Structures are given as structure tokens and as C-alpha cells.
Amino acid sequence: MVAHADQPLYLLFLGAPGAGKGTQTAMLSSALDIPRISSGDLFREHIRNQTDLGREAKLYIDKGELVPDAVTVGMVMRRLGEADCARGAILDGFPRTIPQAEALEAGLAARGQAIRTVIDLVVDHDILVERLSGRWMCRSCGASYHLAFHPPAVAGRCDVCGGELYQREDDSPATVTHRLEVYYRQTAPLQEFYRGRGILHQIDGEQPIEAVYEVVLNAAGMGEDADSTG
Ligand code: ADP
Ligand code: ADP
Ligand code: ZN
């Protein structure tokens, strides 16, 4: 169960839509120089490239439903097998169901690997809605901004890459409500799953971005004191 220091580092982020997974994993990815793998970004890339997988995924994403496990697991495990993941990966938005978590665990175990740490960003429902309704995302690199809480330096442009910012269609109020229901029903049970593995760290995600990040670093074993097991 305990991953060795010379093993690839797999960190996994749980948390509802809007909890701050994308924001935190982007910061952590550049600090650790380990790629951030976002299942949502991978789907949006497939949709942009008009692949068969993208066409199928879009049917579910537009309704705020989860894409079927078989499609999702295949896509993410292929991505984890690419060369840049040799030193590990930071997973954002995957797994989102118990079968996905089991498939990930089995897939890593087959390579003699395991997830080191699971970080669950805990944020109240009303704050999630407020965050998603003001979210602007970069079309090129997937970075997240918020009109009030995390505005870009130049309106409409990404600080990181200069790309164009847009509002996601699935961040519209009706779809957000449904996505949150789906989260509580299908994804929240993963908290118990990983608590049982002894690797779950629950973090108060309602603090400012920098304050959350400090706790994230500790939970990931990179900070001053690494004791925040929930
Ligand atoms: P958010 O950042 O708001 O949590 P994502 O970008 O992670 O949203 O996901 C957008 C959509 O992509 C989800 O609503 C869902 O339809 C689909 N999706 C992303 N990850 C998964 C997953 N692990 N399993 C099934 N569907 C997923
Ligand atoms: P997720 O990937 O979990 O769906 P994001 O990282 O995209 O969440 O964040 C959702 C929205 O909330 C974005 O507009 C982002 O700028 C904003 N946000 C992220 N973290 C915080 C925070 N700690 N405080 C306030 N707003 C935040
Ligand atoms: Zn960008």
C-alpha cells in the first residue's frame, strides 16, 4: 500500500464541480513538475477534435450526466500510459464513480503502483453554485478564472497562456444543479472508499485560493507539517 520514494507519484483530487480542483491541481502540477490529467479537459479536447469518443461524451456532458465508466476509464488509463506520466500524475476529476476507482486501483496495481494521496476539497453547495456561475475557462490550457474571486489580469485573456476565456455551457444554472446532484449521488461515496484505504485528506476548500494551496501542499507531503488526515 505504501508507495516508495522512487515510485511514480499519483495524487488524486476529489471534490464537487466548482470545489477548486482545476485551480489547485494546476498550481501543484507546475510546482511538482508532474502532469495534471483532467478527465473533463480530455473530453473537451475530444469534442473539439470531433472524435467518436468526443461525440459520445458530448451527449452526456451537455446533460450534466457522467460519461459511461468504460469510455472514461479507457481514455484516462491510456493517458496515464503516455511518456510524460513516467514520474506520476495529478488526477483532476477522475475517478468519479466506485467502478472507476476500482479500475484505477487495479490498473495501477498491475504495474506495481498505487495512489499515494487523495485530496478532497470540501465546499458548501451554495458556494459551489456561486463559483460555477462566475467561472471563465481558458480555451487553450483549461485554466479557471472567476469574475469576483480570481479575475484574470487582462479581461477575457488567460494569465498563463494568453488564450481566450469562455464560459462553459455546462456551467449554466440548470445544468449545474443537476451536476451537483450527480456528484452527491455518484461521486461522494468515493470519500468512504478512500477513507477505508487510509489515504483520504479532507480539506476546507472555502478559504482563499492561496490558503487552500498551503494545506494542499501539506497534505501532499510537500509542506511544513504533513498531518491533515480527515
Ligand atoms: P468540473 O471541473 O466542473 O468538475 P469537469 O470538467 O471535470 O467538471 O467535467 C465536465 C463533465 O465531463 C462532467 O460533468 C461529466 O459529464 C464529464 N466527466 C468528467 N470527468 C468524468 C468522469 N471521471 N466520469 C464520467 N464523466 C466525467
Ligand atoms: P473544479 O475544477 O473543482 O470544478 P475550479 O478550479 O474550476 O473548480 O474552480 C471553480 C471556480 O471557482 C473558478 O471560477 C475558480 O476561479 C473559482 N475558485 C477556485 N478556488 C477558489 C477559492 N478557493 N475561492 C474562491 N474561488 C475559487
Ligand atoms: Zn490558458
Side-chain angles (χ1 to χ4, degrees):
M1 206 59 180
V2 176
H4 295 287
D6 56 348
Q7 285 257 328
L9 175 62
Y10 293 104
L11 302 174
L12 192 159
F13 277 68
L14 296 181
K21 301 182 299 297
T23 302
Q24 296 295 329
T25 52
M27 293 161 76
L28 197 58
S29 168
S30 40
L32 298 178
D33 196 24
I34 286 176
R36 159 181 177 256
I37 312 293
S38 155
S39 42
D41 281 358
L42 291 175
F43 283 131
R44 284 184 286 276
E45 194 180 316
H46 274 281
I47 292 171
R48 225 174 12 250
N49 295 335
Q50 303 187 342
T51 67
D52 287 342
L53 194 157
R55 264 185 288 277
E56 182 177 2
K58 191 174 189 310
L59 300 173
Y60 298 91
I61 292 174
D62 284 351
K63 288 187 288 196
E65 298 285 344
L66 295 183
V67 179
D69 288 334
V71 176
T72 307
V73 167
M75 176 184 75
V76 174
M77 293 312 289
R78 272 196 303 281
R79 178 68 187 86
L80 284 176
E82 288 176 22
D84 63 331
C85 294
R87 291 180 47 245
I90 302 171
L91 285 166
D92 166 3
F94 178 91
R96 260 171 151 101
T97 65
I98 296 283
Q100 289 180 16
E102 289 170 343
L104 174 65
E105 195 172 70
L108 292 180
R111 309 178 194 166
Q113 300 169 354
I115 296 155
R116 177 96 47 102
T117 300
V118 176
I119 294 175
D120 182 26
L121 300 173
V122 182
V123 175
D124 189 71
H125 180 277
D126 291 349
I127 296 178
L128 295 169
V129 172
E130 197 182 10
R131 286 188 183 176
L132 293 170
S133 65
R135 170 159 74 181
W136 288 73
M137 209 171 247
C138 176
R139 243 186 237 291
S140 309
C141 75
S144 277
Y145 298 88
H146 191 283
L147 289 188
F149 307 139
H150 182 46
V154 177
R157 289 284 149 199
C158 176
D159 291 356
V160 180
C161 77
E164 180 202 3
L165 303 186
Y166 76 111
Q167 281 190 292
R168 275 165 48 181
E169 259 173 60
D170 62 340
D171 279 346
S172 64
T175 314
V176 160
T177 307
H178 186 61
R179 282 164 62 206
L180 291 174
E181 283 167 13
V182 166
Y183 165 78
Y184 295 117
R185 193 169 65 241
Q186 300 195 62
T187 306
L190 292 180
Q191 294 167 348
E192 283 316 310
F193 182 90
Y194 287 116
R195 186 174 287 124
R197 302 289 191 273
I199 53 175
L200 180 72
H201 294 246
Q202 288 194 302
I203 287 180
D204 174 5
E206 295 186 5
Q207 312 164 75
I209 291 171
E210 291 297 336
V212 175
Y213 185 56
E214 253 183 61
V215 187
V216 164
L217 282 177
N218 279 335
M222 315 297 298
E224 318 279 88
D225 60 277
D227 184 22
S228 58
T229 309

